[in-house]
């Protein structure tokens, strides 16, 4: 078996945040000891509420910002120092797609010009070969050369995100980080764009880090899902199994709140307590003030992420092997 394309080891990132004009600076542990691997051709879905550290993780994985500690390896090698030739070579193999396609595009240029831009920058082939490649990319995202002649303002949100995808694929990357790529689109369009992404992934052998707060969307494309809560991974496992049998009380609440065929809304778990505040992370298990099953130990001791099955890790005193061990 080949080594994973992406290996993230214990990355952490702290920001200092001032609350109010005269407030004291507080440390925000945006990402705290996150480890994960993404196998070639697979999709890792990263879920969690707003502020849980998903985007920060994505930026560190892409080398857009350094971690305070920990390491990211891409294709077996550590991320090179920004600005070096080795870094440019690594970066050329990675692309990102964000939530807002209009923000990612230049309103003053026809979209075909924007798809061609990375090919021009890297001097790929002759000008006519680049024109051919742009047409091929437009077809790949199920648009036509006529769409290419338009300006971003004359396309729908879904069409714009297809253009962003075409441009991301122009230089034939191996790895895409998609950060809430369909969250700004109509629900009716979301599934289409995610299906397209999944088809292209299969055709091109792409590896994806797919970030979303929307479990429905993550479920559609992910092989493995990691659940974040206040900067830490609380549960990770293969997608079908995790959605069918969530172990962490937080994952259980998320899954129960996400509509799925065949499940009655009566089974929904409603979380009590305040939504998570990254600047005031609770002691012990950060989730314990909202956890319906918390015990005394949860308030004092941070649960480690431990394997509870061959393909599942959970950070919870009530779930891990530790719970049974302690009871014995
Ligand atoms: N550049 C920064 N400076 C200061 N604080 C930051 C910065 N980037 C992120 N943070 C803080 O780090 C925490 C995690 O943010 P992040 O954007 O990674 O969360 P997220 O899971 O992507 O949330 P969302 O679902 O809202 O996009 C938040 O509390 C955020 O305010
Ligand atoms: Mg985000």
């Amino acid at each position: 078996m080949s080594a994973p394309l992406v290996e993230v080891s214990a990355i952490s990132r702290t920001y200092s945040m001032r609350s109010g004009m005269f407030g004291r600076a507080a440390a925000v542990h945006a990402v705290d000891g996150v480890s994960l691997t993404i196998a070639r051709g697979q999709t890792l879905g990263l879920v969690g509420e707003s502020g849980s550290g998903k985007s920060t993780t994505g930026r560190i994985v892409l080398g857009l910002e350094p971690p305070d500690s920990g390491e990211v390896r891409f294709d077996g090698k550590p991320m090179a120092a920004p600005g070096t030739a080795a870094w440019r070579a690594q970066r050329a193999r990675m692309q990102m797609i964000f939530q807002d396609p209009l923000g990612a595009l230049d309103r003053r240029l026809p979209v075909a010009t924007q798809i061609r831009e990375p090919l021009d920058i890297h001097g790929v082939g002759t000008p006519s070969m680049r024109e051919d490649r742009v047409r091929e990319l437009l077809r790949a995202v199920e648009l036509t050369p006529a769409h290419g002649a338009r300006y971003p303002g004359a396309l729908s949100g879904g069409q714009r995100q297809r253009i962003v995808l075409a441009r991301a694929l122009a230089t034939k990357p191996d790895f895409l980080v998609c950060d809430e790529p369909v969250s700004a689109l109509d629900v009716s369009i979301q599934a289409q764009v995610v299906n397209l992404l999944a088809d292209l992934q299969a055709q091109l052998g792409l590896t994806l880090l797919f970030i979303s707060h929307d479990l429905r969307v993550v479920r559609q494309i992910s092989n493995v899902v990691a659940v974040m809560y206040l900067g830490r991974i609380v549960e990770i496992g293969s997608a079908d199994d995790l959605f069918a049998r969530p172990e962490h009380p937080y994952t259980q609440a998320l899954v129960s709140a996400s509509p799925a065929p065949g499940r009655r809304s009566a089974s929904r778990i409603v979380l009590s307590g305040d939504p998570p505040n990254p600047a005031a992370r609770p002691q012990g298990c950060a989730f314990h003030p909202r956890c319906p099953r918390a015990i005394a130990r949860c308030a004092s001791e941070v649960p480690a992420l431990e394997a509870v099955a061959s393909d599942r890790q959970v950070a919870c005193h009530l779930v891990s092997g530790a719970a049974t061990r302690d009871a014995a």
Side-chain angles (χ1 to χ4, degrees):
M1 225 177 79
S2 62
L5 185 66
V6 178
E7 295 165 274
V8 175
S9 315
I11 56 166
S12 293
R13 182 82 170 109
T14 304
Y15 299 107
S16 107
M17 192 178 71
R18 212 168 275 284
S19 55
M21 207 187 304
F22 304 107
R24 291 201 314 164
V28 176
H29 297 277
V31 174
D32 188 8
V34 164
S35 298
L36 40 91
T37 58
I38 315 178
R40 287 162 212 270
Q42 301 259 298
T43 299
L44 181 115
L46 195 55
V47 301
E49 281 163 295
S50 185
S52 56
K54 306 181 298 296
S55 296
T56 305
T57 301
R59 287 198 303 273
I60 293 173
V61 169
L62 279 172
L64 294 178
E65 70 179 280
D68 297 330
S69 58
E71 188 192 45
V72 177
R73 296 175 79 86
F74 181 75
D75 204 2
K77 296 188 194 72
M79 289 296 289
T84 61
W87 180 78
R88 276 192 294 276
Q90 274 177 329
R91 278 310 314 274
R93 298 179 57 190
M94 309 175 175
Q95 288 292 336
M96 71 213 93
I97 294 172
F98 295 115
Q99 179 169 342
D100 171 24
L102 203 50
L105 296 169
D106 186 334
R107 289 165 193 257
R108 298 161 305 178
L109 293 174
V111 293
T113 307
Q114 305 192 51
I115 296 173
R116 206 186 59 220
E117 203 169 53
L119 302 171
D120 292 340
I121 290 170
H122 292 96
V124 179
T126 63
S128 88
M129 285 160 82
R130 282 176 230 158
E131 291 299 327
D132 287 346
R133 176 88 177 120
V134 169
R135 276 190 288 276
E136 183 184 301
L137 287 160
L138 281 165
R139 272 195 301 277
V141 295
E142 295 164 1
L143 295 174
T144 65
H147 289 111
R150 295 198 201 165
Y151 291 80
L155 293 171
S156 71
Q159 289 169 337
R160 282 181 207 133
Q161 199 59 301
R162 288 166 194 262
I163 297 294
V164 169
L165 183 56
R167 185 178 58 183
L169 297 175
T171 51
K172 303 189 174 170
D174 305 292
F175 177 53
L176 290 185
V177 173
C178 306
D179 191 349
E180 305 277 4
V182 298
S183 304
L185 306 180
D186 281 0
V187 173
S188 59
I189 307 294
Q190 290 183 350
Q192 283 176 23
V193 174
V194 176
N195 275 333
L196 172 65
L197 191 55
D199 288 349
L200 289 168
Q201 172 179 31
Q203 274 170 41
L204 306 171
L206 294 168
T207 304
L208 304 184
L209 173 60
F210 191 97
I211 297 171
S212 177
H213 66 279
D214 187 341
L215 264 60
R216 260 179 330 113
V217 168
V218 166
R219 188 177 216 147
Q220 209 187 326
I221 194 165
S222 305
N223 306 100
V224 175
V225 170
V227 181
M228 284 187 83
Y229 193 84
L230 286 178
R232 298 197 180 113
I233 292 179
V234 297
E235 182 158 11
I236 183 165
S238 68
D240 291 341
D241 188 48
L242 185 136
F243 285 118
R245 275 177 300 280
E247 295 275 7
H248 195 286
Y250 179 59
T251 317
Q252 289 172 348
L254 287 182
V255 170
S256 86
S258 164
R263 210 184 40 241
R264 290 186 306 127
S265 55
S267 59
R268 179 172 176 159
I269 302 166
V270 179
L271 290 175
S272 59
D274 297 329
N277 174 5
R281 189 165 65 186
Q283 297 280 306
C285 171
F287 182 60
H288 86 267
R290 298 167 84 196
C291 182
R293 291 163 58 197
I295 55 173
R297 182 180 175 195
C298 304
S300 57
E301 202 182 314
V302 179
L305 190 63
E306 289 184 353
V308 297
S310 61
D311 65 347
R312 182 80 65 91
Q313 289 172 278
V314 182
C316 176
H317 294 310
L318 293 144
V319 174
S320 63
T324 26
R325 215 167 42 233
D326 290 354

